[in-house]
Amino acid sequence: MLKNTIFRSILLLGLLLTTSISSAATTLVAVAANFTKPMTEIAEAFEKSTGHKANLSFGSSGKFVSQFENGGPFEVFLSADDKGPIKLEQSGLAVPNTRFTYALGKLVLWSATPGLVDDQGQVLSKGGFKHIALADPKLAPYGAAAVEVMKNRGLFDKLQPLFVQGENIAQTHQFVSTGNAELGFVAFSQVIDNGKASAPAHAPYLHPVGKIAGGSGWIIPSDLYKPIRQDAILMKTGAENPAAPALMQFLKSPEALAIIRKYGYDLAQ
């Protein structure tokens, strides 16, 4: 009798494990390059929490939109702006009413050289550099924001001959970090020092904003450029994949919000 009970318990446990494994799925996710570090961390937490996996591809938001319009296979889109997801929703490629702002981006003027960039951005008008990097403003929202900052400072025409354009913000950061450009406009998440960041246990999404980890930089005031509203949207290609809507939901969880804040992003109200 006891042996039968033990056998049935083991069989039931095996069936539960098999069901759990078979229900786990993988979703293909297109992610704006500025969100590489936090999304990598979120994907790991997502797998631990749900069993589902997120296969991530990083690049410029503009290129991803073109890929979607040409039959790209991605099921979830985490853009660096709201324009791309709105366009995809209006064109019928995305699931209606799934779009939301997962993060508000911050722009930084940064140099790998300590002391080169002052905390007011006066280096832009003083000069003393040969190249300034920015992401292609036609493809990358952070590049468009950089152009807006320079125009608001009345410096765009002066600085334009010095531009070195990256295809996306990741390549732009690489230009600056390797010294191919003395300074450039990058995402705060790429240069933030968040190693000692912590949050109160009762509100894990209230991570303190860190400082720039190395080199020198100017965290650009938000009134110099339009808000960088980074929207996520579920694509129709992922509507039948349980992992895709599960990821969309997980992005709103306290655990994901804590990671987003840890990398210097603000949260939409």
Side-chain angles (χ1 to χ4, degrees), residues 3-261:
K3 288 183 178 179
N4 289 338
T5 301
I6 294 173
F7 176 76
R8 284 197 297 269
S9 297
I10 293 173
L11 181 61
L12 179 60
L13 179 60
L15 288 172
L16 288 172
L17 288 172
T18 301
T19 301
S20 176
I21 292 170
S22 63
S23 64
T26 299
T27 182
L28 304 179
V29 189
V31 186
N34 73 87
F35 208 62
T36 298
K37 290 180 180 179
M39 192 57 204
T40 300
E41 196 168 324
I42 288 171
E44 293 174 358
F46 173 64
E47 183 175 354
K48 288 180 181 178
S49 177
T50 67
H52 296 308
K53 293 184 179 181
N55 190 339
L56 310 176
S57 295
F58 302 101
S60 68
S61 296
K63 282 208 165 185
F64 278 133
V65 171
S66 295
Q67 288 181 36
F68 282 120
E69 291 174 335
N70 287 283
F74 302 108
E75 300 169 332
V76 174
F77 181 30
L78 273 65
S79 180
D81 65 2
D82 56 358
K83 294 179 182 178
I86 289 173
K87 183 180 181 182
L88 294 171
E89 187 175 22
Q90 292 175 339
S91 65
L93 293 171
V95 178
N97 303 316
T98 60
R99 180 175 56 86
F100 68 94
T101 301
Y102 65 91
L104 297 173
K106 293 183 182 178
L107 188 67
V108 172
L109 180 67
W110 179 70
S111 173
T113 304
L116 179 61
V117 178
D118 60 283
D119 61 6
Q120 299 295 319
Q122 295 299 322
V123 65
L124 289 175
S125 55
K126 291 179 180 178
F129 53 89
K130 295 181 180 178
H131 303 98
I132 183 168
L134 71 159
D136 186 344
K138 295 180 180 178
L139 298 173
Y142 280 79
V147 169
E148 194 175 354
V149 170
M150 288 182 280
K151 287 183 175 180
N152 282 335
R153 281 287 185 95
L155 297 169
F156 180 79
D157 291 337
K158 173 186 175 182
L159 295 174
Q160 190 173 17
L162 309 181
F163 286 179
V164 177
Q165 286 192 7
E167 181 179 287
N168 53 55
I169 202 70
Q171 189 177 61
T172 304
H173 177 266
Q174 185 179 26
F175 286 156
V176 184
S177 63
T178 58
N180 287 314
E182 294 94 327
L183 71 168
F185 293 92
V186 300
F188 188 27
S189 60
Q190 295 174 300
V191 296
I192 190 173
D193 179 6
N194 56 22
K196 297 181 179 180
S198 60
H202 68 280
Y205 50 85
L206 293 177
H207 268 278
V209 174
K211 297 181 179 180
I212 293 173
S216 55
W218 171 44
I219 301 175
I220 301 171
S222 58
D223 60 355
L224 289 178
Y225 57 94
K226 296 175 184 175
I228 303 176
R229 300 186 65 88
Q230 303 197 186
D231 278 11
I233 196 163
L234 176 65
M235 304 302 297
K236 286 187 174 178
T237 49
E240 302 301 321
N241 180 355
L247 178 61
M248 292 287 288
Q249 188 62 36
F250 189 77
L251 284 167
K252 301 176 182 179
S253 70
E255 189 173 3
L257 295 177
I259 295 170
I260 292 169
R261 284 288 289 157

